[in-house]
């Protein structure tokens, strides 16, 4: 079926991806990422020496021992070699200003700057450029060390620890402000935490800013550089981590997720503007849908209904029939219940499809948490540009829920054939019921011009917003029944 939208139903004006960058396990840029993916490489490893700051025998679950305050495994997806790529010069902040900040900040600055460089906007003002990105609000390494320094000053002094820069206390929101200052961004700039759906939430909100005319260019993505021991022990306590240290999405014997870390950004412009500006367009965002399950069976229990709402919102807004999609980059973390729920929700949305390929980057890098969605977008864009469907390793025994569905997980790369522009969906589902789905289309110049014409015909253009007057208040918070109680 054609991937074209019916102009009477298109409600989401297409957004161009004009730049992208990443710092991920085994891949410090998009080219390295797609090469590793197409080769089916497993990029997981053990925690780097000294990263946990605790001897393995004190941190890992022992045979027959309790898992309380311990981790099942020290396997994960770890970034290596970043220091050789990072250049602290050239920002509006000096290298001295950046000294002492956790690597989390540096990953954000590097990937955002590299994404803008890829967009070829050097010399252009960033007064109407903003940035929205996910940032896992778990303590960073530096925040953990700062807490130790404050609570146990004698012990930290005895082991010769250097004082931690106190700015690292604000590792949740401060990176966005540092980014705005370093790149002189004049638009909205903030971080959010929607758990594992964070980066797709950020992309959707960035598209909203462009649609509303609040910005002309947006950076969107995520970072996860939380204290790795905290992550491993936390996911073990939740019963979500793989005891065997294997990340196997859609495998019949998958036993949990394996954490990963990294950062990724895309640069977005309205498609009409990107064409007029002569940008090198990498891909086109055709739609995005968000939902939240509300109170359900539990924080980690996924809801097929909520996932369906997010996906349908995306396709209805784009005016695209889901049966046109050839590939879906799934959330698929490698948990039996989670993967089965996702297959069930996709079976409802893609009912009538004949063949849809599925994949999950988590089989290569582990679960990148906040970064999972934008990393999936980058993977899809690069796969489209190469004309190849990406494989997913470790699917020698597919999940039984796949039987009888139109879905197939590829064990090896295949040519990506399509009648029109290649079309893919990217899903990210976070705990607490945060659901997100983004539709990515291959850039083809003639088709892009047709999309712009459809958007104009549907009057999907930024409008001047009038000031709003606040005329009433109401609140019910906690035991209160009114604004006065609040």
């Amino acid at each position: 079926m054609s991937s074209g939208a019916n102009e009477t139903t298109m409600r989401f004006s297409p957004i161009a991806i004009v730049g992208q960058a990443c710092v991920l396990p085994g891949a410090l840029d998009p080219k390295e990422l797609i090469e590793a993916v197409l080769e089916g490489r497993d990029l997981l490893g053990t925690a780097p020496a000294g990263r946990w700051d605790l001897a393995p025998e004190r941190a890992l679950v022992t045979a027959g021992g309790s898992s309380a305050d311990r981790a099942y495994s020290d396997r994960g997806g770890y970034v290596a070699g970043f220091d050789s790529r990072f250049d602290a010069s050239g920002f509006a902040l000096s290298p001295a200003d950046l000294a002492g900040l956790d690597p989390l900040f540096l990953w954000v600055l590097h990937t955002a700057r590299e994404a803008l460089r890829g967009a070829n906007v050097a010399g252009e003002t960033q007064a109407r450029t903003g940035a929205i990105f996910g940032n896992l609000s778990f303590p960073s390494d530096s925040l953990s060390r700062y807490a130790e320094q404050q609570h146990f000053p004698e012990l930290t002094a005895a082991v010769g620890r250097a004082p931690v820069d106190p700015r690292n206390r604000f590792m949740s929101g401060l990176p966005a402000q540092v980014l705005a200052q370093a790149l002189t961004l004049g638009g909205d700039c903030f971080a959010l935490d929607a758990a594992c759906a964070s980066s797709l939430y950020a992309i959707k909100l960035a598209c909203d800013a462009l649609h509303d005319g609040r910005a002309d260019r947006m950076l969107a993505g995520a970072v996860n550089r939380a204290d790795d021991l905290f992550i491993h022990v936390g996911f073990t306590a939740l019963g979500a981590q793989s005891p065997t240290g294997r990340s196997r999405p859609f495998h019949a014997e998958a036993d949990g997720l394996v954490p990963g870390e990294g950062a990724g950004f895309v640069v977005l412009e309205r498609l009409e503007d990107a064409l007029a500006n002569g940008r090198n367009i990498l891909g086109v965002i055709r739609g995005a849908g968000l939902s939240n399950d509300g109170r359900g069976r539990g924080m980690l229990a996924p809801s097929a209904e909520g996932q369906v709402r997010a996906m349908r919102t995306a396709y209805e807004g784009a005016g695209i029939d889901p049966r046109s999609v050839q590939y879906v980059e799934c959330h698929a973390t490698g948990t039996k219940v989670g993967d089965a729920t996702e297959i069930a929700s996709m079976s409802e949305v893609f009912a009538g499809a004949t063949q849809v390929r599925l994949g999950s980057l988590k089989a290569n890098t582990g679960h990148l948490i906040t970064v999972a969605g934008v990393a999936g977008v980058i993977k899809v864009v690069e796969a489209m540009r190469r004309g190849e469907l990406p494989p997913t390793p470790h699917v020698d025994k597919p999940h039984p829920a796949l039987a009888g569905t139109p879905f197939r997980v590829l064990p090896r790369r295949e040519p990506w054939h399509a009648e029109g522009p290649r079309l893919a969906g990217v899903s990210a589902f976070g705990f607490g019921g945060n659901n997100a789905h983004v539709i990515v289309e291959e850039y083809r110049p003639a088709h892009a011009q047709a999309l712009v014409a459809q958007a104009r015909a549907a009057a999907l253009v930024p409008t001047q917003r009038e000031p709003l007057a606040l005329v009433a208040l109401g609140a019910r918070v906690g035991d209160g029944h009114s604004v006065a109680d609040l």
Side-chain angles (χ1 to χ4, degrees):
M1 300 183 68
S2 169
S3 65
N6 184 323
E7 65 182 52
T8 62
T9 59
M10 177 193 283
R11 300 193 303 275
F12 184 101
S13 186
I15 298 294
I17 302 172
V18 298
Q20 57 186 19
C22 62
V23 170
L24 299 174
L28 298 182
D29 58 51
K31 180 181 177 182
E32 291 181 359
L33 175 65
I34 194 59
E35 288 175 352
V37 166
L38 292 176
E39 292 171 7
R41 301 207 313 256
D42 185 324
L43 303 172
L44 302 179
T46 56
R51 181 70 183 274
W52 281 14
D53 202 28
L54 193 65
E57 60 270 18
R58 300 188 61 188
L60 297 175
V61 176
T62 57
S66 169
S67 62
D69 294 327
R70 289 176 180 262
Y72 283 133
S73 165
D74 65 349
R75 294 267 298 166
Y78 297 101
V79 171
F82 171 77
D83 290 347
S84 64
R85 296 280 184 99
F86 180 66
D87 179 5
S89 64
F91 293 109
L93 296 173
S94 71
D97 293 326
L98 303 180
L101 291 176
D102 190 88
L104 182 157
F105 290 82
L106 307 185
W107 289 3
V108 168
L109 294 179
H110 173 80
T111 49
R113 180 171 65 180
E114 289 303 302
L116 283 173
R117 282 176 172 170
N120 294 319
V121 297
E124 297 183 22
T125 176
Q126 304 301 328
R128 286 184 53 80
T129 300
I132 303 173
F133 62 95
N135 181 14
L136 189 65
S137 293
F138 285 2
S140 63
D141 283 352
S142 296
L143 179 53
S144 292
R145 301 295 85 77
Y146 183 84
E148 292 171 1
Q149 178 180 293
Q150 299 306 305
H151 290 287
F152 309 105
E154 298 86 0
L155 292 176
T156 54
V159 297
R161 285 234 171 108
V164 177
D165 190 317
R167 291 177 295 173
N168 289 301
R169 291 175 294 167
F170 308 111
M171 47 67 55
S172 186
L174 185 60
Q177 304 311 310
V178 171
L179 176 62
Q181 294 171 23
L183 298 181
T184 62
L185 307 181
D188 292 343
C189 198
F190 62 87
L192 60 86
D193 187 350
C196 310
S198 293
S199 53
L200 293 193
Y201 266 64
I203 288 174
K204 170 60 167 64
L205 295 178
C207 290
D208 289 347
L210 293 168
H211 288 155
D212 293 345
R214 290 183 280 116
D216 293 330
R217 184 180 303 119
M218 290 295 295
L219 282 154
V223 63
N224 170 33
R225 219 284 186 177
D227 184 317
D228 192 57
L229 179 59
F230 190 105
I231 290 283
H232 277 71
V233 172
F235 276 123
T236 297
L238 289 170
Q241 186 170 348
S242 166
T244 59
R246 290 179 290 177
S247 184
R248 296 180 292 173
F250 295 126
H251 195 284
E253 298 172 358
D255 57 0
L257 63 83
V258 176
E261 62 185 16
F265 275 94
V266 292
V267 181
L268 307 176
E269 290 185 355
R270 291 178 288 271
L271 180 58
E272 183 173 10
D273 293 348
L275 290 169
N277 294 333
R279 304 290 185 218
N280 178 29
I281 299 175
L282 306 177
V284 180
I285 295 178
R286 292 295 314 279
L290 308 179
S291 75
N292 188 279
D293 301 341
R295 178 175 292 180
R297 292 173 293 161
M299 184 177 72
L300 293 179
S303 163
E305 184 274 334
Q307 294 175 6
V308 166
R309 273 193 289 120
M311 287 187 276
R312 281 188 171 156
T313 298
Y315 290 103
E316 289 170 2
I320 288 176
D321 188 326
R323 292 175 295 177
S324 302
V325 169
Q326 302 104 32
Y327 176 83
V328 178
E329 175 66 17
C330 298
H331 184 61
T333 60
T335 63
K336 288 184 179 179
V337 174
D339 290 2
T341 301
E342 189 166 1
I343 293 167
S345 65
M346 286 193 299
S347 295
E348 184 172 342
V349 173
F350 294 90
T354 56
Q355 192 174 52
V356 182
R357 277 77 166 188
L358 307 183
S360 175
L361 183 61
K362 297 172 185 66
N364 307 95
T365 64
H367 190 350
L368 302 170
I369 320 295
T370 46
V371 187
V374 69
V377 169
I378 293 171
K379 168 187 169 180
V380 163
V381 167
E382 290 298 317
M384 286 178 172
R385 282 155 55 81
R386 298 208 179 199
E388 293 189 80
L389 287 160
T392 296
H394 315 308
V395 288
D396 53 290
K397 190 175 181 182
H399 197 297
L402 289 166
T405 72
F407 307 122
R408 185 162 67 95
V409 184
L410 298 180
R412 60 188 61 85
R413 66 211 284 181
E414 292 183 2
W416 191 333
H417 299 299
E419 293 180 8
R422 299 177 177 98
L423 194 64
V426 180
S427 292
F429 307 130
F431 43 63
N434 298 307
N435 305 306
H437 188 79
V438 168
I439 306 167
V440 180
E441 184 177 274
E442 177 191 15
Y443 170 65
R444 293 192 182 179
H447 187 68
Q449 293 285 0
L451 290 175
V452 168
Q454 290 178 22
R456 287 175 180 166
L460 298 176
V461 294
T463 58
Q464 184 65 39
R465 296 295 182 95
E466 296 295 330
L468 299 178
L470 179 63
V471 298
L473 295 172
R476 291 199 63 171
V477 180
D479 294 330
H481 294 273
S482 67
V483 172
D485 291 343
L486 174 62

